[in-house]
Amino acid sequence: MSELIEGFLGKSIEGRKSRLPAKLDYLQSATGLFLGLFMWGHMFFVSSILISKDFMYAVARFFEGSFIFEEPKPGLVSIVVAVVFLIFIVHAALGMRKLPANFRQWQVYRTHMKMMSHEDTTLWFIQAITGFAMFFMGSAHLFLMLTQPSTIGPFGSGDRMVFMWPFYLLLLLAVEFHGGIGLYRLSVKWGWFEGENAKQTRATLKKVKWAITVFFLALGTLTLVAYLKIGLENIDQNRVGQKYAPTTQIHEIYQAKVRA
Amino acid sequence: MSRTITIKALKYNPNSKVSKPHVAEYKLEETDGMTLFVALSKIRETMDPDLSFDFVCRAGICGSCGMMVNGKPALACRTLTKNYESGVLELFPMPAFKLIKDLSVDTGNWMNDMSKRVESWIHTNEEVDFSKLEKPIEPEVAQEVFELDRCIECGICVAACGTKLMRPNFVGAVGLNRVARFELDPHDNRTIEDYYELVGDDDGIFGCMSLLACEDNCPKHLPLQSKIAYMRRKLVSLR
C-alpha cells in the first residue's frame, strides 16, 4: 500500500522524496564514464591493424583467451560484449529521459540553440542526436559482435568493412562526438578537476575534449580505411571468408613442409 | 564619430485580442557610452511611446531589464550599443517567463514562487534576540555565502537555460544557487536531507543537464557551475 501511496503522491508515507532520481543520475554518469573510457580502449585495440595484421590478430586472439587456452574461445568475446551491451542499454534508457519528448520541446530547444549560439548548448544537441542514432547503430554493431565473435580478425573485419564501411563511418562519428562531449560534460557536471579556477579548468577541458575527438576520429578513419583495403584485397585474391593465418604460423607450416 | 544604429524589437501584447506579434524597427543616432537602456528610453520618448520594457535602477543592481539581445540574455542597462559592430540589435523578451508585453516579462512572481519552493530563508530553532549582535561566523564562510547572495534575480540564468525551456518545472540555476547559499550558511540548521526534499528530483538538481549557459551569461559572474556540481555531489552522496 505504501508503494501505491508513494506512486500516487510522489513522496513516501513519511513525506520523503524517493532517492531513486539521485541513483539514476549517478548511474547515467557511471555507465557513460565506463562506455566513454571503454571506447578509448576499444579504438586502440581495433587500430592495432595499423601496426600489422599479425599484431591485430594477436590482440583479437588475446580476447579469445590465448593467454590461457590453446584453442581460441570466441565465447569469451561474447561474454564481454554482453556485459558492454547491458551497460549500453542501461545508459541509453537513462539518457533517453533527457531527450526532447514532444514537438514543442524539440522546437523550443532548436530555436534557443540557434538564438544563443552557445557552444555547450549546441554540443548537448549533438550529443542528443548522436545518442539517438546509437540506439540503432550501436545495437546493430554490438549484436553482430555478440553473435559472430569469431569473425573478428584482420580478414574477417576487413571483409565486413567492404559492405559495411558507410555504417561504420557514421558509427565512428556518432561515438566520437557523443563520447567526447559526454566525458567533458561529466567533468563539469560533477566538478572534477575543478581546482581553484573552475572557468579556466573548463576552458582547458574543452580544448582537451576537442583534441581527443580529433585524434580518435583520425585514428578511427585510418583504421577503417586499413580494414577496407584488406577487404578489397581479399576480394582481389579470392579469399573472402577465409581466416587469417599469422606470419609465424605460415612460417611454421613452411618449416614443417621443408622438414617433411 | 557617431553612427546610426538599428534596434529591432518584438512587439506583442498577449492580453490583447488584436495584437499580432511583429518586429518593429527603430533607427537612432548612437551617443557616447550609450547603453541599450538609454537607446530604448529614447525610442519610447521620441518614436514609440507604446514600447514596453522594464527597468528600475539603470545600474545593473535591480535585475529588472533582462532581455534577449541578438539571441543572448543580457541586462539592457549594462549593454553598450558600441559593442555591436554591425550596429543592429535585435531584441526579444526573455523566454521562460510570462510575457507581459513587448520586452517586458514577469520575473517577479516567478522568483517569488522559486523562493517559496526552495524555502529561501534561514531555518533555525534558535530564538533570535535582535537587541544582541548576530552570532559570529568565520569570515571565509561569510564571504562564500555573500558571494552567492550577490544574485540579483534578473532571470538571465533561467532564460539562458535550454533545460528550463524544455521543462518548465525545472528550478533553474537561480534556485539551485539559492539552495547552495543556505547550505553554506551556518545560521541555517537544515540538513542535506532537508535540501534533498526541496531539489532532489528531476525538476531540481537531477534535471540539470550541465549546459552551463547560466554560468556563461550571469551578469554577476556567480560560480553557478561549481555550486550546482557541489550540490549534486552532496545530494547524490545521501543514503
Side-chain angles (χ1 to χ4, degrees):
Chain A
M1 188 51 79
S2 62
E3 200 179 324
L4 180 70
I5 293 171
E6 185 169 352
F8 191 78
L9 295 175
K11 52 186 175 184
S12 71
I13 46 177
E14 288 85 25
R16 289 178 57 197
K17 270 185 182 166
S18 168
R19 295 280 190 262
L20 204 58
K23 291 191 176 79
L24 297 181
D25 194 44
Y26 180 80
L27 201 58
Q28 184 182 352
S29 293
T31 49
L33 177 66
F34 170 83
L35 291 169
L37 296 180
F38 173 80
M39 285 320 299
W40 286 2
H42 176 280
M43 186 52 85
F44 283 122
F45 294 138
V46 295
S47 65
S48 57
I49 197 69
L50 296 173
I51 295 174
S52 73
K53 291 191 189 90
D54 278 354
F55 185 51
M56 192 273 165
Y57 179 83
V59 170
R61 294 293 80 82
F62 173 82
F63 285 104
E64 290 174 352
S66 65
F67 51 96
I68 301 172
F69 308 107
E70 209 165 295
E71 284 295 305
K73 306 273 184 205
L76 292 175
V77 176
S78 291
I79 291 170
V80 173
V81 174
V83 171
V84 173
F85 209 167
L86 186 69
I87 295 170
F88 174 84
I89 291 168
V90 170
H91 184 69
L94 294 171
M96 207 171 70
R97 302 172 306 149
K98 307 287 179 186
L99 297 178
N102 55 43
F103 170 68
R104 183 57 192 149
Q105 288 186 350
W106 166 269
Q107 185 189 39
V108 79
Y109 197 91
R110 293 265 299 161
T111 306
H112 179 68
M113 186 177 80
K114 280 184 200 160
M115 278 177 78
M116 291 274 292
S117 300
H118 176 254
E119 193 182 5
D120 285 37
T121 302
T122 307
L123 286 177
W124 182 85
F125 193 74
I126 294 171
Q127 213 185 352
I129 295 289
T130 50
F132 183 76
M134 276 196 292
F135 282 149
F136 313 101
M137 293 201 295
S139 296
H141 171 67
L142 283 161
F143 186 75
L144 208 59
M145 297 302 109
L146 184 75
T147 52
Q148 299 174 31
S150 60
T151 61
I152 302 169
F155 281 1
S157 301
D159 291 344
R160 188 163 27 246
M161 218 48 67
V162 172
F163 65 98
M164 287 188 75
W165 70 265
F167 169 84
Y168 277 106
L169 186 61
L170 289 174
L171 184 59
L172 172 71
L173 288 167
V175 167
E176 294 313 330
F177 278 107
H178 188 91
I181 298 166
L183 289 173
Y184 157 76
R185 197 178 305 286
L186 274 185
S187 307
V188 292
K189 179 175 176 177
W190 295 97
W192 299 340
F193 322 113
E194 215 170 63
E196 288 296 303
N197 188 340
K199 276 189 198 299
Q200 185 58 48
T201 307
R202 182 170 154 224
T204 309
L205 280 172
K206 186 81 70 65
K207 280 183 196 149
V208 171
K209 180 207 91 65
W210 279 118
I212 289 173
T213 302
V214 169
F215 170 74
F216 278 113
L217 278 177
L219 188 66
T221 309
L222 286 173
T223 302
L224 198 151
V225 170
Y227 283 115
L228 182 60
K229 184 167 166 281
I230 293 169
L232 293 173
E233 281 168 4
N234 285 352
I235 292 172
D236 273 354
Q237 294 171 23
N238 211 18
R239 61 181 183 212
V240 175
Q242 283 181 23
K243 287 256 177 200
Y244 178 74
T247 319
T248 47
Q249 204 176 318
I250 293 168
H251 186 69
E252 277 167 21
I253 294 165
Y254 176 74
Q255 288 296 321
K257 279 184 180 168
V258 168
R259 277 197 296 273
Chain B
M1 205 178 93
S2 78
R3 59 175 181 165
T4 301
I5 58 168
T6 305
I7 306 273
K8 296 178 182 178
L10 179 79
K11 290 209 70 185
Y12 177 52
N13 181 358
N15 295 316
S16 159
K17 283 186 179 161
V18 292
S19 172
K20 282 192 177 168
H22 65 281
V23 174
E25 195 171 309
Y26 312 96
K27 288 193 185 295
L28 67 160
E29 282 299 297
E30 189 175 44
T31 53
D32 278 347
M34 182 183 245
T35 63
L36 181 55
F37 161 72
V38 171
L40 285 170
S41 299
K42 202 168 175 186
I43 290 168
R44 190 153 66 181
E45 278 168 26
T46 61
M47 292 179 233
D48 184 0
D50 179 56
L51 180 67
S52 295
F53 59 94
D54 300 319
F55 73 95
V56 178
C57 77
R58 296 168 286 174
I61 297 165
C62 73
S64 300
C65 61
M67 59 186 69
M68 304 301 278
V69 185
N70 287 3
K72 296 177 199 302
L75 295 177
C77 69
R78 289 190 34 177
T79 301
L80 290 168
T81 55
K82 71 173 181 191
N83 290 342
Y84 293 81
E85 262 180 44
S86 66
V88 179
L89 287 84
E90 193 175 75
L91 311 179
F92 271 70
M94 285 198 295
F97 296 102
K98 188 183 169 204
L99 177 63
I100 297 172
K101 184 175 167 288
D102 305 336
L103 304 173
S104 172
V105 293
D106 182 1
T107 54
N109 279 319
W110 192 93
M111 292 294 169
N112 193 26
D113 289 344
M114 178 278 297
S115 291
K116 289 183 203 157
R117 180 172 167 186
V118 302
E119 299 183 9
S120 178
W121 54 87
I122 295 283
H123 289 52
T124 178
N125 296 326
E126 286 176 38
E127 284 286 320
V128 179
D129 184 349
F130 291 105
S131 66
K132 289 185 180 153
L133 278 177
E134 203 178 14
K135 193 170 77 178
I137 59 172
E138 290 300 319
E140 298 80 29
V141 178
Q143 186 56 41
E144 225 178 325
V145 174
F146 294 155
E147 170 73 2
L148 304 188
D149 249 351
R150 292 191 304 109
C151 174
I152 54 172
E153 297 190 354
C154 59
I156 281 179
C157 60
V158 177
C161 177
T163 309
K164 166 71 186 161
L165 294 185
M166 275 205 294
R167 303 190 167 86
N169 282 336
F170 180 55
V171 69
V174 59
L176 297 172
N177 176 68
R178 193 65 60 81
V179 172
R181 177 249 176 271
F182 285 102
E183 199 277 330
L184 286 169
D185 192 338
H187 292 113
D188 198 309
N189 294 338
R190 279 180 286 185
T191 61
I192 291 298
E193 280 84 359
D194 295 327
Y195 294 116
Y196 191 96
E197 294 307 317
L198 299 174
V199 291
D201 55 29
D202 290 330
D203 287 332
I205 194 96
F206 307 122
C208 169
M209 303 198 296
S210 307
L211 307 174
L212 299 181
C214 54
E215 162 102 3
D216 295 341
N217 289 279
C218 174
K220 304 309 274 186
H221 307 292
L222 295 178
L224 300 171
Q225 176 198 336
S226 302
K227 292 306 162 202
I228 293 173
Y230 169 79
M231 284 311 301
R232 191 190 295 274
R233 291 196 301 268
K234 283 265 178 190
L235 296 188
V236 157
S237 66
L238 271 183
R239 293 284 157 241

